[in-house]
Amino acid sequence: EGVLQFGVTGVYHTGPDMMPQEAAQPLPLELDFSTARAVGRQALDTVFAGWNGSVTLSWPDLKLSIELTADPIFSHLVVYTHFDGSLALEPVTNATDGFNLLARGIQGTNVRTLEPGAALEGKIRIRVIQG
């Protein structure tokens, strides 16, 4: 069973369309992975705000871990679990549907508008640790 650990400052609550409805809210206990804990069968399709740029997924019984780190431009993290037990981790630069949230006056989505010819870049690193 996978054990997940990452730090964030908040979470976006979503509507039936799975799009955030409001600004990021305080993190409830059931979504707090600041201390490593098993994911189990917890259903997640969640956008987290204020990500600290590091997430670890480990399988203690296999003595195997994956450490994913990202540059600060990746301020949000999406975590998705599927009923078959698979899990996806997606560092993102802004909240899901951030442009529409920003248009509604919701701050903190980290949406950036680039001028023509401008670029935005960041690096994501994945390290596999055995032992």
Side-chain angles (χ1 to χ4, degrees), residues 21-108:
Q21 302 297 300
E22 57 190 356
Q25 300 298 305
L27 198 61
L29 187 58
E30 69 269 12
L31 294 176
D32 186 356
F33 286 90
S34 59
T35 301
R37 66 180 178 87
V39 178
R41 292 290 177 186
Q42 185 173 0
L44 298 169
D45 190 356
T46 309
V47 182
F48 294 95
W51 179 46
N52 68 2
S54 177
V55 59
T56 302
L57 177 59
S58 59
W59 298 269
D61 56 329
L62 300 176
K63 297 185 169 119
L64 178 68
S65 296
I66 295 173
E67 181 181 81
L68 186 150
T69 57
D71 290 346
I73 194 159
F74 297 98
S75 61
H76 288 68
L77 179 68
V78 178
V79 179
Y80 173 79
T81 58
H82 192 268
F83 66 84
D84 68 3
S86 57
L87 179 135
L89 302 168
E90 181 185 4
V92 292
T93 59
N94 57 262
T96 302
D97 204 31
F99 290 100
N100 287 321
L101 293 172
L102 185 61
R104 292 182 17 223
I106 295 173
Q107 300 299 309

